[in-house]
Amino acid sequence: MAVVAGGLFLSYRSHEILSHSASRIQAISVWATLAYVLNGLVFILIGLELPVIMKNLENYSITQAINYGLIISITIIIIRLLYTLLITYIPAWLGKTKRADPVNPLWKGAVIVGWAGMRGVVSLASALSIPLLLNNGEAFPHRSLILFITFIVILVTLVFQGLTLPLVIKWIGIKDIEDFPPEGEQEAGIRLRLMQAALKRLKEKFSPDMKENELIRFLKKQLESDISITNQQLESLECDTTEIEEITRYHAVLMDIYSVQRKELYQLRKEKTFSDEQIRKQENQLDLDEAKIL
């Protein structure tokens, strides 16, 4: 729990702890790669251990072990569903007033949370933590059977529950209770707020510099232009089809220009007029500019 709480805190305060943008970009890439590698190693470990475990099932056949695994998997799924329903309804029953939500009754969210309880790395780590020997030196009884059942539970919950989760959500028909606008409108709204904050900061703190520094004046004009374009994009979500087509065409023109610029960077690399480091920086900037309109 301490690790989870620490992770949530660091995630929420990452913009303060990692003040440099390059550090944040690298951290995201490193952790994504690390999580992928660790998950891969876990399932490689399952594949390597499974043949050995199957040979050490003692007096149990493969069929019996699979049946035990399926029974326990079903039991775990049912227990989790009942548990999520209880912890959802008990506070409502004990409270002075029950939560009234005609759109999404309490049981809908509880069923989805219960069905999403897939087993994986934590279950495997718990099973592998079982010691090989007891204190008296004898082998731990049924250790291989416990590990095999754990593998079955992981397989059933990950594959069966994971593949059927979208169907369960569709069948339940749960709806988003948050009154958020569409994703495109949210993205444009966030960009608009950020640019407005930047423009306000320029006017309040760097007004004298704008008179003397041409680059800062250009930044101000660029922000004003971007704000105007973003406002048009927000208005286009409620306007006619013609304006939407204009913005779509504008984005297509930008993408074509970026493509030509990439080819020019490739030509510069062949000519060896500029350093490869500087060319890569410009490629990265093109990636960021392209991501703004995707």
Side-chain angles (χ1 to χ4, degrees):
M1 293 299 294
V3 172
V4 173
L8 291 172
F9 175 80
L10 292 176
S11 176
Y12 189 75
R13 296 290 183 179
S14 61
H15 65 287
E16 298 175 359
I17 299 170
L18 299 176
S19 58
H20 200 277
S21 59
S23 300
R24 289 194 295 270
I25 294 173
Q26 291 175 359
I28 292 172
S29 302
V30 167
W31 282 112
T33 303
L34 185 61
Y36 178 81
V37 170
L38 289 176
N39 279 294
L41 289 175
V42 167
F43 289 100
I44 289 174
L45 178 63
I46 291 176
L48 293 174
E49 287 288 327
L50 194 56
V52 178
I53 291 171
M54 292 173 65
K55 292 179 180 178
N56 298 324
L57 287 177
E58 301 170 355
N59 297 327
Y60 299 95
S61 65
I62 300 296
T63 303
Q64 288 178 312
I66 292 175
N67 290 335
Y68 291 150
L70 293 176
I71 292 171
I72 293 177
S73 298
I74 295 171
T75 304
I76 288 174
I77 293 172
I78 294 173
I79 290 174
R80 181 177 173 87
L81 286 170
L82 294 175
Y83 172 75
T84 53
L85 287 169
L86 286 175
I87 63 173
T88 300
Y89 276 97
I90 288 178
W93 290 334
L94 295 178
K96 295 181 179 179
T97 58
K98 294 185 178 180
R99 174 185 149 190
D101 188 354
V103 178
N104 293 321
L106 290 175
W107 67 268
K108 288 187 175 183
V111 169
I112 292 176
V113 172
W115 197 258
M118 303 163 200
R119 293 334 192 253
V121 176
V122 176
S123 299
L124 181 61
S126 300
L128 289 175
S129 65
I130 298 175
L132 293 172
L133 302 174
L134 297 174
N135 293 333
N136 57 10
E138 296 181 359
F140 194 97
H142 310 304
R143 183 178 187 274
S144 295
L145 179 62
I146 294 172
L147 289 173
F148 186 84
I149 291 174
T150 304
F151 292 154
I152 296 296
V153 170
I154 293 173
L155 179 65
V156 170
T157 55
L158 280 181
V159 176
F160 174 67
Q161 285 187 282
L163 293 178
T164 57
L165 182 59
L167 300 177
V168 172
I169 296 174
K170 184 177 180 180
W171 170 69
I172 289 178
I174 194 168
K175 297 180 180 179
D176 190 0
I177 60 175
E178 299 289 351
D179 190 20
F180 290 132
E183 290 186 3
E185 188 174 344
Q186 291 186 56
E187 292 176 2
I190 293 172
R191 289 200 306 270
L192 180 61
R193 288 287 299 272
L194 293 177
M195 289 184 292
Q196 287 174 338
L199 185 59
K200 181 180 178 182
R201 185 68 169 180
L202 276 178
K203 292 179 178 179
E204 291 178 350
K205 188 173 182 179
F206 303 101
S207 182
D209 296 280
M210 284 190 286
K211 299 177 181 179
E212 303 175 359
N213 193 315
E214 184 178 353
L215 291 175
I216 297 179
R217 287 199 303 272
F218 175 78
L219 174 61
K220 177 177 176 291
K221 292 179 180 178
Q222 183 65 43
L223 284 171
E224 291 174 341
S225 175
D226 290 343
I227 289 174
S228 177
I229 292 173
T230 305
N231 276 322
Q232 292 179 10
Q233 182 180 358
L234 285 170
E235 292 172 359
S236 70
L237 296 173
E238 301 177 356
C239 295
D240 57 21
T241 309
T242 304
E243 293 183 2
I244 297 176
E245 291 177 352
E246 288 179 358
I247 294 178
T248 304
R249 181 59 181 168
Y250 169 73
H251 288 168
V253 171
L254 283 179
M255 293 296 291
D256 185 75
I257 291 174
Y258 295 153
S259 176
V260 172
Q261 289 177 330
R262 290 182 192 281
K263 292 179 181 179
E264 187 66 21
L265 286 174
Y266 175 72
Q267 186 64 31
L268 289 174
R269 181 176 282 112
K270 290 174 62 178
E271 295 174 1
K272 297 183 178 180
T273 309
F274 303 96
S275 68
D276 189 67
E277 180 182 359
Q278 294 301 320
I279 292 176
R280 289 184 182 277
K281 286 183 178 180
Q282 293 302 318
E283 285 179 333
N284 184 54
Q285 184 59 49
L286 282 178
D287 291 337
L288 295 175
D289 292 338
E290 184 175 326
K292 291 180 181 179
I293 61 177
L294 290 179

